[in-house]
Every structure is written in structure tokens, then in C-alpha cells.
């Protein structure tokens, strides 16, 4: 009888053991990164990925607007539609995250970088320089669109984000906060080491839910703000288009995504992963 009880207890003890390892938190400032070639390779990867992202997506937006323009024989049912635009954004994120995840982490978005910095996944130096590389890549990507579509670029809005008529700034800000929360929360969940340890297929599929999150958010918020959820995307388009309306609304596309990323980082790290409770327990045990 005792042996039977022990045979039932031992597996429970085995399964209660932690079967994953959290990576150590990134240092706040790590000057050693500046002497590493892998760091600069990651910056180049972020620059090129954001350039390609903006080139394909903004070109899709301008192409769609030209296809529905009655002056060119178009109609509202022509072109790829909002669904096609959302697929372009989500699909490119899926492709580019898959290609660059092993090099730079595949951020391609200052809001994602900011959220991962708050989660202690990247250092301050890496976060700041990633954001610079992403913004420069976005400017170059939209610049290529303008060079190739010079006759259509300004006529169809240059792919710039701005608040749609009929919506106030509070609604636009709320849409950007919630949309970015969905994206950054998905990034944290898809790359969680706890999940990776238990579901061996997740590392391969991680870019898929991230791209799908971008797709779904675009379906919801294109009619409101054109969907930013990526400050580099909004900044690059605003710089090249350079008209008053996108610049007047531009703060929404920085404040909203950064607030959304902050909320997502707090929710995932300190509520779902119980980071605050773990930190308190560690403090008490040290005391």
C-alpha cells in the first residue's frame, strides 16, 4: 500500500519542478554592446526590415487609393480594399519577424522595443539605437515609395497617418493605445520562455500570431486613424509627406503606442507572470 502511494506522489513532485528558465534581465546600460559586431548587425537588420515594411505597405495603400479613384475609372469595390491593406501590414510583419528574429529580435517597431525594454529584455542603449534605426528605415522606405510613385504619392495622401473626419483626438488616442496593447501583449506571449519550454512548436510559429495581431488591429482601426501602432511607420510617412494634418495629429501616434506598450508590459510581466510577487518574495527571503 505504501509503495502504491509513493508511486502516485513521485510524478507529482516531478511535474511541480520548474521546467523552463527565464533569461536574466538585460542590464539597464550595457556599454559592452557597442564593441560587438552582432549589435551593429542587429541595427542593420532593424533598419532594413523597417525599410521593407514601409515600402510594401505604403505602396499598397497608395495603389488601393488609385484603384478606387473615379478619375481613373475606379470604384469603391475595386482594389484590394481594407482587408487587403490589413493583410499587407500583417503579412509583412510575419515575414520580417521570421527573417530577423534570430538577428535583432525582429522588433521593427519602437513601441515593441519600448515594451521589451520595460520588460528588461533589452538594454537602454539597444532600445534607443533600435528606435533610431527603425525611424531611419521608415523614412527611407517611404522615400522609395515617393520615388517610384511620384505622380500618385501626394495625390493619395502618401500613406500618412491622420485622424479620420468625425473622430476626435481622444478616440484616436484610445484606438492607438488599445491596438498597440494587443500587439505588444501578443509579442510578450508568443516569446514567453515558459511557453517555449512546454510547446516546442511555438518558437517556429511565434511570428504568426504577431503578424495576425497586426492584421486584426488594422481591420479595427484603419477607419479611425489609418492604424499607426508603430511610431516609426507614422514618423517615416509624416516626414516624407510633410503636410500639416499628419503633423497636427502626429503626437497621437507616439503617445498612444508607448502607453499601450507600457500597459502590455505591466500586464504580462507583473500580473500574468507575477513579477511583482516574485520580487517581493525574493526581497523577503533575502531579509
Amino acid at each position: 500500500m505504501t509503495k502504491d502511494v509513493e508511486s502516485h506522489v513521485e510524478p507529482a513532485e516531478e511535474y511541480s519542478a520548474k521546467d523552463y528558465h527565464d533569461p536574466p534581465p538585460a542590464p539597464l546600460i550595457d556599454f559592452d554592446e557597442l564593441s560587438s559586431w552582432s549589435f551593429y548587425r542587429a541595427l542593420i537588420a532593424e533598419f532594413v526590415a523597417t525599410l521593407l515594411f514601409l515600402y510594401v505597405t505604403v505602396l499598397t495603400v497608395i495603389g488601393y487609393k488609385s484603384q478606387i479613384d473615379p478619375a481613373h475609372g475606379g470604384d469603391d469595390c475595386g482594389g484590394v480594399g481594407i482587408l487587403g491593406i490589413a493583410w499587407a501590414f500583417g503579412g509583412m510583419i510575419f515575414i520580417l519577424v521570421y527573417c530577423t528574429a534570430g538577428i535583432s529580435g525582429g522588433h521593427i517597431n519602437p513601441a515593441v522595443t519600448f515594451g521589451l525594454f520595460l520588460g528588461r529584455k533589452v538594454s537602454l542603449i539597444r532600445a534607443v539605437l533600435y528606435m533610431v534605426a527603425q525611424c531611419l528605415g521608415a523614412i527611407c522606405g517611404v522615400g522609395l515609395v515617393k520615388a517610384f510613385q511620384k505622380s500618385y504619392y501626394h495625390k493619395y495622401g502618401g500613406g500618412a497617418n491622420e485622424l479620420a473626419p468625425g473622430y476626435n483626438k481622444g478616440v484616436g488616442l484610445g484606438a492607438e493605445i488599445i491596438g498597440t496593447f494587443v500587439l505588444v501583449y501578443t509579442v510578450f506571449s508568443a516569446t514567453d520562455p515558459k511557453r517555449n519550454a512546454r510547446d516546442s512548436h511555438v518558437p517556429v510559429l511565434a511570428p504568426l500570431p504577431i503578424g495576425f495581431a497586426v492584421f486584426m488591429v488594422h481591420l479595427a482601426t484603419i477607419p479611425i486613424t489609418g492604424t499607426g501602432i508603430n511610431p516609426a511607420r507614422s514618423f517615416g510617412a509624416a516626414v516624407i509627406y510633410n503636410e500639416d494634418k499628419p503633423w497636427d495629429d502626429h503626437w497621437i501616434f507616439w503617445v498612444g503606442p508607448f502607453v499601450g506598450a507600457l500597459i502590455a508590459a505591466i500586464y504580462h510581466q507583473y500580473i500574468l507572470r507575477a513579477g511583482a510577487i516574485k520580487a517581493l518574495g525574493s526581497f523577503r527571503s533575502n531579509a
Side-chain angles (χ1 to χ4, degrees):
M1 183 71 176
T2 307
K3 288 182 180 179
D4 290 338
V5 172
E6 288 175 356
S7 65
H8 287 292
V9 171
E10 285 175 3
E13 290 176 352
E14 274 183 29
Y15 289 119
S16 66
K18 189 174 179 180
D19 60 353
Y20 67 95
H21 298 284
D22 284 313
L28 180 61
I29 298 176
D30 186 4
F31 289 109
D32 291 339
E33 288 183 315
L34 298 175
S35 61
S36 171
W37 161 242
S38 63
F39 175 66
Y40 296 100
R41 183 178 61 186
L43 291 178
I44 294 170
E46 287 293 312
F47 171 83
V48 172
T50 314
L51 184 155
L52 295 174
F53 175 61
L54 267 291
Y55 172 73
V56 171
T57 54
V58 172
L59 204 56
T60 302
V61 171
I62 293 174
Y64 164 66
K65 289 184 176 180
S66 69
Q67 288 172 326
I68 64 171
D69 187 353
H72 291 87
D75 57 69
D76 290 339
C77 297
V80 296
I82 289 179
L83 184 65
I85 293 172
W87 272 123
F89 279 88
M92 280 304 292
I93 287 297
F94 168 67
I95 293 167
L96 294 169
V97 170
Y98 180 81
C99 292
T100 60
I103 302 169
S104 66
H107 297 193
I108 323 170
N109 184 336
V112 171
T113 301
F114 180 64
L116 293 175
F117 166 70
L118 295 176
R120 300 294 302 277
K121 308 294 185 183
V122 296
S123 69
L124 178 61
I125 292 175
R126 184 176 289 264
V128 171
L129 292 183
Y130 268 24
M131 291 180 194
V132 172
Q134 291 156 0
C135 289
L136 291 176
I139 293 170
C140 293
V142 182
L144 284 177
V145 174
K146 184 177 180 179
F148 294 156
Q149 293 278 3
K150 193 170 292 185
S151 58
Y152 290 155
Y153 182 79
H154 276 281
K155 183 177 181 180
Y156 297 118
N161 287 122
E162 59 184 53
L163 199 60
Y167 295 98
N168 60 45
K169 288 183 173 15
V171 172
L173 182 63
E176 289 295 308
I177 290 173
I178 295 171
T180 311
F181 172 84
V182 172
L183 170 59
V184 178
Y185 172 45
T186 304
V187 170
F188 272 111
S189 298
T191 59
D192 192 331
K194 185 174 182 178
R195 171 173 288 178
N196 290 350
R198 297 176 183 177
D199 302 322
S200 60
H201 60 281
V202 167
V204 177
L205 296 180
L208 183 59
I210 295 171
F212 210 76
V214 171
F215 166 70
M216 296 302 295
V217 171
H218 273 75
L219 286 181
T221 58
I222 282 176
I224 303 172
T225 62
T227 309
I229 67 170
N230 183 336
R233 176 260 185 272
S234 303
F235 181 70
V239 167
I240 301 299
Y241 187 54
N242 199 28
E243 295 289 342
D244 290 340
K245 175 62 171 160
W247 282 122
D248 290 342
D249 298 337
H250 191 63
W251 66 271
I252 293 172
F253 302 101
W254 283 90
V255 175
F258 273 61
V259 172
L262 170 65
I263 297 170
I266 292 172
Y267 177 63
H268 185 270
Q269 294 295 99
Y270 294 98
I271 297 178
L272 298 187
R273 293 298 305 277
I277 295 173
K278 291 175 184 175
L280 181 61
S282 175
F283 174 78
R284 286 176 173 171
S285 62
N286 289 337

